[in-house]
Every structure is written in C-alpha cells, then in structure tokens.
Amino acid sequence: MIEKFKTEPFTDFTVPENKKNFEEAIQKIESSYGKEYPLYIKGKKIFVDEKINSYNPSDKDKLVGIVHKASVDEINFAVESASEAFKEWRFYPPQERAMYLLKAAQLLRKRKFEHAALQVIEVGKNWAEADADVAEAIDYLEYYGREMIRLSQEERLVSYPNEYNEYEYIPLGVIAVIPPWNFPLAIMLGMTTAAIVTGNTVVLKPASDTPVIGYKFVELMHEVGLPPGVLNFAPGSGAKIGDTLVSHHLTRMIAFTGSKEIGLRINNLAAQVFPKQIWLKRVILEMGGKDTMVIDEDCNIEDAVNATIAAAFGFQGQKCSACSRLVLVESIYNKFVEMLVAKAHTISIGPAKENHFMGPVVSGSAEKKILEYIDIGKTEGKLVVGGEKAPGNGHFIKPTIFIDVDPNARLSQEEIFGPVLSVIKAMDFNDALEIANNTEYGLTGAVYTRDRKKIMKAKKEFHCGNLYINRKCTGAMVGVHPFGGFNMSGTDSKAGGSDYLLLFTQGKAISEKLG
Ligand code: NAP
C-alpha cells in the first residue's frame, strides 16, 4: 500500500538554511563547468567526436557542459537498442515498473537543490522557478507511478455467463521523446517516465539548450536500476537527427512538446508509412500558445496586476502558458495600464544565480527573435515599458509592454516566447472574450471578474485547455490542473492528468470460454 499522491511542497528560500544550502548547490554546479557528458545507449556511456557546448545564458562565456552529440548512426542504434529492450520490459509487471518511478522520486527529492541549481545555471531560471520545475518533476514520478498501479488494477468489464473476460492496457513499443528546453526537467521527465511506466522503451532527444539537465536525469534513472536499453539518451540537433528518429520504422510513437512549427513537421512525417513499418505511428504534440488574460472592471485590480506581472514576466515570459496578451475592458483600461506600468518598473533583472525576478532569455537565437518582435511591436503598438536589452554579459531583455495593440496585429497573434506583453482594449466583457478566442492557439487563459454570470460565460466560451478564474494563467500542478491545449496548441494530451498514461498504451481484450 502506498500513500495517496500529494504535490511536492515548494522551498521557502526566506529560511536562512535553505538559502545557504541553495547557494552552495549553485557553487557546486559552477565548480563542474566544462565537464563532459556522454550519450547513454543500451545502458552504456558512448563518446563520439561531435559535441554540444551548453553555455550559461546569464554569463555567455561560461561553458556549463560539453555533451556528446548523436549523429544519425547513434539514433539508429538507440532506436534498435530500445526495440530490443522492449521485448522484456513490456512484460515487467506494472507495479514493478511503477517502483522505478517511486524510487526515482525519492532520489530526486534528496537531490532537489542540485537539480534546481543546474537549471539556474543552464537555463537561467530564478530560484523559485527552478525549484518549482524540480517539484513538478517529482510530482510526475509520484503521480504516474500511482496511476500505472491504478490502471492495472481497475475492473472495467461487465460480466458475461461462461466467459472469463480481461481487459489490459499494454504498451506500444519504442517511443521517441522530444522535449523543449523551457521546463527542462519537468516536461522531459514527465513524457519519458509516462512512456516507461506504461511498459514502453524510450529514445530521449533532449533540447539542445539543456542537454546537461537531460544527462543528469538519465543518470538518476540508471541509478535506480532501470534495465539497459529502456531509456536511451541521444542528444543532438533536432534539425539534423529529428527526421531519422521520427521516421524510423521501429519508432512506434512520438511524444513531443515544443513549437507549432516543429510539431507540425513531426505530425506530417509521422503520418507517412516507411518500408518495414507495420503500424500507424501515434503522436502527441504539445505546442505553442498565445495566452490571454481578460480583466473585467468588476475585479480586484491589484490582484490582477500582480497576476499579470507574474504570468507575463515569470521566467522571462518563456512559458507556453505565459500571458502574452492582456485584454482590458475599456472602463478600467487607463487605470490598469498605469498600475501595470508602475509595477513593471519595479522588476529586477540580472544573473539567475543572484535570484532576480527576471533572468536572461535562454540563448542568443531566442534573444534575436524576441528583439525582432519588439521592433515589429514598435510599428504595431505604443511601447510603454522596456523594449530593449538590459545590461550584462547574458541574454537579458527588459520586461516589455506595448499598449493599444490591435487584436489582429502580429504581436497579438504570433508566439514570441519572451518578456513581451501586448495590451488590447475591449469595448466590454463580451468583446474581451471574443478577442481572447481570436488566435489559432488555445492553451491557457485567465479571467478576472467577480460577476458570477460572466464567470459562467467564460467557462463556457473561453476556448482553451486550461482556464483559470481570478488567478494567473501559469503554474499548473500535476494531478490538480491536467495540462494541454486546443487547436494549434496541440493534441490536448493533458499531462499530469488521469487520462495521460492511456495515450502511451493500447487496450487488449481477452475472452476465455469457461467449461
Ligand atoms: P522547438 O524549437 O520546437 O524544439 C522542441 C524540441 O524539438 C527540441 O528538442 C528540438 O531540438 C526538437 N526539434 C527541432 N527540430 C526538430 C525536427 N526537425 N524534428 C524533431 N525534433 C526537432 O521548441 P523549444 O524552443 O524547445 O520550446 C519552446 C516551444 O515549446 C514554445 O512554442 C512553447 O510554447 C512550447 N511549449 C509547449 C508546451 C505545452 O505543453 N503545450 C510546454 C512547453 C513548451 P533542438 O533543441 O536540437 O532544436
């Protein structure tokens, strides 16, 4: 009997001991700058000639790690190794598979600070954001472990005379897991361990911006004794090796989280049937967002301002759930903008290890893209905050707010994935909801109002996978807010929800005649 699932508490960094221990954890990570990390295939460390250099986005000259880089040959080897390992792993009892996750949760909890500190250094999260990512990762392990046990024990059939009937969820095969860099541990671990606990084997290609975080996770899973070949680690450029991984005839499913552009490419390729392939590939694609917060006149304005700042600029706006459009009803527009601008000016920005509210954006290419959108914004709206780089040797961009943006402008429609907020004026609440629904995305959304009828209307009409009332549109928690979006935000696979594991399985019905 295992304890009921409960979410992992966040660390209180105002407690001096926690602060001291976290600072030490950061120093420890810094002392391993420049270390090399191999591929991990068939339970063996593999060293190759090509490497990925992973730099600290807060301090561009600091090399966090050098990670060996898979070519097409290693991808083929990883898929074949995973396929070989599947022959045994698929028959491990569900409870046994779950134990690996529960053990990994224990170990990760012990090493929480080490893993969070690595995120501060490799991806530029502030302490609370990094801590929350690791807490979410622990939650996935605890939750999916329990979910697998539940799925294997639930009675689902009606009885029939003279027959013994069974219904079992069996695994699919080799799953290619392709995560993004922005929740570098939580999303990567969530997709990977959901695949493993359901009896599949995995080829994990981490995001090229966060390969050291990827390696540390894979190392931990091997430490808890995962059999060789069940989890294969093959970092490399998605552009160079992604097609090989997706189109391999032994790849049975692709679990992807990332941009719309890459998701659509994977969807297309996975729909093709290649020689020797004997199944239709399954894909889950969790893609981008253009998430809106709607603020009505009848709400606690101060709360709404604080929530907007947190949702738009937390982790530099680099969350798929980040608020990138703020729709204000006309009657409060000027007052709200004034308060928002004042609050945005108080945001501190600097190196992530110093724990500012905002750190750097993840890379030089992200910085370039965001600055290009800021230039577009200058032609589409009125710049009232930021709009430029912030000083420092990292990829720092000031929190940026444009007001008076047209709901159909590029700034209102395209995912920027950085600290850029567009403010849109609506005539009234009905108009605000229409604007909220006018993008091709449908991931998260939030509504601030005290009016019950308006809340009911928003619940019915605001078309997004995760809707929040009187709270910010970021911060989904495992088991509490199953997460995934509609339309071009993806296949709505609802990570951290009770339906999620089913996506990694197929149902087998067996009927035996008695007597
Ligand atoms: P991305 O550029 O689409 O990359 C995602 C992953 O795809 C990376 O591992 C990347 O590898 C890989 N990749 C690139 N080209 C590929 C190809 N041709 N074939 C196969 N894989 C390929 O996205 P990102 O910049 O990492 O992440 C940000 C995006 O993720 C945003 O759009 C955000 O909204 C979205 N996101 C969505 C959710 C959600 O739940 N809906 C959650 C988090 C993030 P490389 O790193 O080597 O290029």
Side-chain angles (χ1 to χ4, degrees), residues 154-167:
E154 245 173 35
E155 193 58 72
R156 274 172 218 89
L157 303 177
V158 286
S159 60
Y160 194 75
N162 280 328
E163 279 186 8
Y164 179 66
N165 293 312
E166 294 169 86
Y167 187 61

PDB file of all heavy atoms in Angstrom, residues 154-167:
ATOM      1  N   GLU A 154      -7.804  -1.662 -12.076  1.00  0.00           N
ATOM      2  CA  GLU A 154      -9.222  -1.285 -12.200  1.00  0.00           C
ATOM      3  C   GLU A 154     -10.018  -2.331 -12.981  1.00  0.00           C
ATOM      4  O   GLU A 154      -9.579  -2.805 -14.033  1.00  0.00           O
ATOM      5  CB  GLU A 154      -9.331   0.076 -12.903  1.00  0.00           C
ATOM      6  CG  GLU A 154      -9.907   1.151 -12.015  1.00  0.00           C
ATOM      7  CD  GLU A 154      -9.844   2.520 -12.679  1.00  0.00           C
ATOM      8  OE1 GLU A 154     -10.005   2.592 -13.909  1.00  0.00           O
ATOM      9  OE2 GLU A 154      -9.623   3.491 -11.954  1.00  0.00           O
ATOM     10  N   GLU A 155     -11.177  -2.649 -12.481  1.00  0.00           N
ATOM     11  CA  GLU A 155     -12.090  -3.584 -13.158  1.00  0.00           C
ATOM     12  C   GLU A 155     -12.955  -2.776 -14.119  1.00  0.00           C
ATOM     13  O   GLU A 155     -13.622  -1.829 -13.713  1.00  0.00           O
ATOM     14  CB  GLU A 155     -12.958  -4.238 -12.068  1.00  0.00           C
ATOM     15  CG  GLU A 155     -13.735  -5.444 -12.495  1.00  0.00           C
ATOM     16  CD  GLU A 155     -12.848  -6.566 -13.035  1.00  0.00           C
ATOM     17  OE1 GLU A 155     -12.141  -7.215 -12.234  1.00  0.00           O
ATOM     18  OE2 GLU A 155     -12.904  -6.782 -14.256  1.00  0.00           O
ATOM     19  N   ARG A 156     -12.926  -3.127 -15.421  1.00  0.00           N
ATOM     20  CA  ARG A 156     -13.653  -2.269 -16.371  1.00  0.00           C
ATOM     21  C   ARG A 156     -14.745  -2.969 -17.162  1.00  0.00           C
ATOM     22  O   ARG A 156     -15.478  -2.338 -17.905  1.00  0.00           O
ATOM     23  CB  ARG A 156     -12.667  -1.699 -17.404  1.00  0.00           C
ATOM     24  CG  ARG A 156     -12.006  -0.456 -16.949  1.00  0.00           C
ATOM     25  CD  ARG A 156     -10.928  -0.051 -17.896  1.00  0.00           C
ATOM     26  NE  ARG A 156      -9.829   0.472 -17.115  1.00  0.00           N
ATOM     27  CZ  ARG A 156      -8.836  -0.243 -16.629  1.00  0.00           C
ATOM     28  NH1 ARG A 156      -8.743  -1.525 -16.901  1.00  0.00           N
ATOM     29  NH2 ARG A 156      -7.917   0.295 -15.887  1.00  0.00           N
ATOM     30  N   LEU A 157     -14.831  -4.287 -17.033  1.00  0.00           N
ATOM     31  CA  LEU A 157     -15.756  -5.009 -17.908  1.00  0.00           C
ATOM     32  C   LEU A 157     -17.025  -5.421 -17.178  1.00  0.00           C
ATOM     33  O   LEU A 157     -17.023  -5.582 -15.962  1.00  0.00           O
ATOM     34  CB  LEU A 157     -15.068  -6.264 -18.444  1.00  0.00           C
ATOM     35  CG  LEU A 157     -13.762  -6.032 -19.201  1.00  0.00           C
ATOM     36  CD1 LEU A 157     -13.144  -7.365 -19.603  1.00  0.00           C
ATOM     37  CD2 LEU A 157     -13.991  -5.175 -20.432  1.00  0.00           C
ATOM     38  N   VAL A 158     -18.104  -5.614 -17.942  1.00  0.00           N
ATOM     39  CA  VAL A 158     -19.294  -6.222 -17.342  1.00  0.00           C
ATOM     40  C   VAL A 158     -19.162  -7.744 -17.497  1.00  0.00           C
ATOM     41  O   VAL A 158     -18.533  -8.218 -18.447  1.00  0.00           O
ATOM     42  CB  VAL A 158     -20.601  -5.727 -18.025  1.00  0.00           C
ATOM     43  CG1 VAL A 158     -20.922  -4.328 -17.617  1.00  0.00           C
ATOM     44  CG2 VAL A 158     -20.543  -5.855 -19.526  1.00  0.00           C
ATOM     45  N   SER A 159     -19.729  -8.487 -16.571  1.00  0.00           N
ATOM     46  CA  SER A 159     -19.545  -9.943 -16.637  1.00  0.00           C
ATOM     47  C   SER A 159     -20.473 -10.565 -17.684  1.00  0.00           C
ATOM     48  O   SER A 159     -21.499  -9.978 -18.055  1.00  0.00           O
ATOM     49  CB  SER A 159     -19.798 -10.555 -15.260  1.00  0.00           C
ATOM     50  OG  SER A 159     -21.111 -10.251 -14.866  1.00  0.00           O
ATOM     51  N   TYR A 160     -20.074 -11.752 -18.160  1.00  0.00           N
ATOM     52  CA  TYR A 160     -20.879 -12.467 -19.152  1.00  0.00           C
ATOM     53  C   TYR A 160     -20.850 -13.951 -18.802  1.00  0.00           C
ATOM     54  O   TYR A 160     -19.783 -14.487 -18.460  1.00  0.00           O
ATOM     55  CB  TYR A 160     -20.290 -12.221 -20.554  1.00  0.00           C
ATOM     56  CG  TYR A 160     -21.219 -12.634 -21.651  1.00  0.00           C
ATOM     57  CD1 TYR A 160     -22.331 -11.856 -21.976  1.00  0.00           C
ATOM     58  CD2 TYR A 160     -20.983 -13.818 -22.354  1.00  0.00           C
ATOM     59  CE1 TYR A 160     -23.190 -12.255 -22.975  1.00  0.00           C
ATOM     60  CE2 TYR A 160     -21.845 -14.224 -23.360  1.00  0.00           C
ATOM     61  CZ  TYR A 160     -22.944 -13.432 -23.662  1.00  0.00           C
ATOM     62  OH  TYR A 160     -23.804 -13.825 -24.645  1.00  0.00           O
ATOM     63  N   PRO A 161     -22.021 -14.639 -18.883  1.00  0.00           N
ATOM     64  CA  PRO A 161     -22.060 -16.039 -18.430  1.00  0.00           C
ATOM     65  C   PRO A 161     -21.058 -16.931 -19.175  1.00  0.00           C
ATOM     66  O   PRO A 161     -20.899 -16.793 -20.389  1.00  0.00           O
ATOM     67  CB  PRO A 161     -23.496 -16.486 -18.732  1.00  0.00           C
ATOM     68  CG  PRO A 161     -24.265 -15.237 -18.991  1.00  0.00           C
ATOM     69  CD  PRO A 161     -23.317 -14.164 -19.358  1.00  0.00           C
ATOM     70  N   ASN A 162     -20.405 -17.808 -18.441  1.00  0.00           N
ATOM     71  CA  ASN A 162     -19.497 -18.809 -19.009  1.00  0.00           C
ATOM     72  C   ASN A 162     -18.273 -18.259 -19.712  1.00  0.00           C
ATOM     73  O   ASN A 162     -17.693 -18.918 -20.571  1.00  0.00           O
ATOM     74  CB  ASN A 162     -20.242 -19.730 -19.995  1.00  0.00           C
ATOM     75  CG  ASN A 162     -20.996 -20.773 -19.240  1.00  0.00           C
ATOM     76  OD1 ASN A 162     -20.562 -21.208 -18.171  1.00  0.00           O
ATOM     77  ND2 ASN A 162     -22.153 -21.128 -19.764  1.00  0.00           N
ATOM     78  N   GLU A 163     -17.928 -17.029 -19.419  1.00  0.00           N
ATOM     79  CA  GLU A 163     -16.703 -16.477 -20.001  1.00  0.00           C
ATOM     80  C   GLU A 163     -15.894 -15.786 -18.916  1.00  0.00           C
ATOM     81  O   GLU A 163     -16.446 -15.175 -18.004  1.00  0.00           O
ATOM     82  CB  GLU A 163     -17.018 -15.428 -21.078  1.00  0.00           C
ATOM     83  CG  GLU A 163     -17.367 -16.027 -22.411  1.00  0.00           C
ATOM     84  CD  GLU A 163     -17.525 -14.977 -23.497  1.00  0.00           C
ATOM     85  OE1 GLU A 163     -17.211 -13.788 -23.240  1.00  0.00           O
ATOM     86  OE2 GLU A 163     -17.955 -15.343 -24.596  1.00  0.00           O
ATOM     87  N   TYR A 164     -14.557 -15.889 -19.054  1.00  0.00           N
ATOM     88  CA  TYR A 164     -13.688 -15.065 -18.207  1.00  0.00           C
ATOM     89  C   TYR A 164     -13.085 -13.992 -19.107  1.00  0.00           C
ATOM     90  O   TYR A 164     -12.366 -14.296 -20.068  1.00  0.00           O
ATOM     91  CB  TYR A 164     -12.589 -15.931 -17.572  1.00  0.00           C
ATOM     92  CG  TYR A 164     -11.669 -15.100 -16.715  1.00  0.00           C
ATOM     93  CD1 TYR A 164     -12.152 -14.489 -15.548  1.00  0.00           C
ATOM     94  CD2 TYR A 164     -10.342 -14.891 -17.078  1.00  0.00           C
ATOM     95  CE1 TYR A 164     -11.330 -13.698 -14.770  1.00  0.00           C
ATOM     96  CE2 TYR A 164      -9.509 -14.100 -16.286  1.00  0.00           C
ATOM     97  CZ  TYR A 164     -10.013 -13.507 -15.146  1.00  0.00           C
ATOM     98  OH  TYR A 164      -9.199 -12.723 -14.380  1.00  0.00           O
ATOM     99  N   ASN A 165     -13.437 -12.750 -18.841  1.00  0.00           N
ATOM    100  CA  ASN A 165     -13.014 -11.663 -19.720  1.00  0.00           C
ATOM    101  C   ASN A 165     -12.024 -10.745 -19.023  1.00  0.00           C
ATOM    102  O   ASN A 165     -12.174 -10.422 -17.850  1.00  0.00           O
ATOM    103  CB  ASN A 165     -14.236 -10.871 -20.187  1.00  0.00           C
ATOM    104  CG  ASN A 165     -15.096 -11.725 -21.096  1.00  0.00           C
ATOM    105  OD1 ASN A 165     -14.588 -12.358 -22.016  1.00  0.00           O
ATOM    106  ND2 ASN A 165     -16.393 -11.776 -20.820  1.00  0.00           N
ATOM    107  N   GLU A 166     -11.031 -10.351 -19.793  1.00  0.00           N
ATOM    108  CA  GLU A 166      -9.993  -9.462 -19.244  1.00  0.00           C
ATOM    109  C   GLU A 166      -9.785  -8.292 -20.188  1.00  0.00           C
ATOM    110  O   GLU A 166      -9.971  -8.424 -21.409  1.00  0.00           O
ATOM    111  CB  GLU A 166      -8.652 -10.206 -19.152  1.00  0.00           C
ATOM    112  CG  GLU A 166      -8.615 -11.335 -18.175  1.00  0.00           C
ATOM    113  CD  GLU A 166      -7.353 -12.159 -18.372  1.00  0.00           C
ATOM    114  OE1 GLU A 166      -6.321 -11.809 -17.791  1.00  0.00           O
ATOM    115  OE2 GLU A 166      -7.417 -13.147 -19.122  1.00  0.00           O
ATOM    116  N   TYR A 167      -9.384  -7.191 -19.624  1.00  0.00           N
ATOM    117  CA  TYR A 167      -9.047  -6.025 -20.440  1.00  0.00           C
ATOM    118  C   TYR A 167      -7.808  -5.383 -19.851  1.00  0.00           C
ATOM    119  O   TYR A 167      -7.778  -5.028 -18.678  1.00  0.00           O
ATOM    120  CB  TYR A 167     -10.216  -5.032 -20.439  1.00  0.00           C
ATOM    121  CG  TYR A 167     -10.008  -3.875 -21.389  1.00  0.00           C
ATOM    122  CD1 TYR A 167      -9.858  -4.115 -22.749  1.00  0.00           C
ATOM    123  CD2 TYR A 167      -9.958  -2.568 -20.931  1.00  0.00           C
ATOM    124  CE1 TYR A 167      -9.664  -3.071 -23.636  1.00  0.00           C
ATOM    125  CE2 TYR A 167      -9.758  -1.508 -21.817  1.00  0.00           C
ATOM    126  CZ  TYR A 167      -9.610  -1.773 -23.164  1.00  0.00           C
ATOM    127  OH  TYR A 167      -9.411  -0.739 -24.044  1.00  0.00           O
TER     128      TYR A 167
END
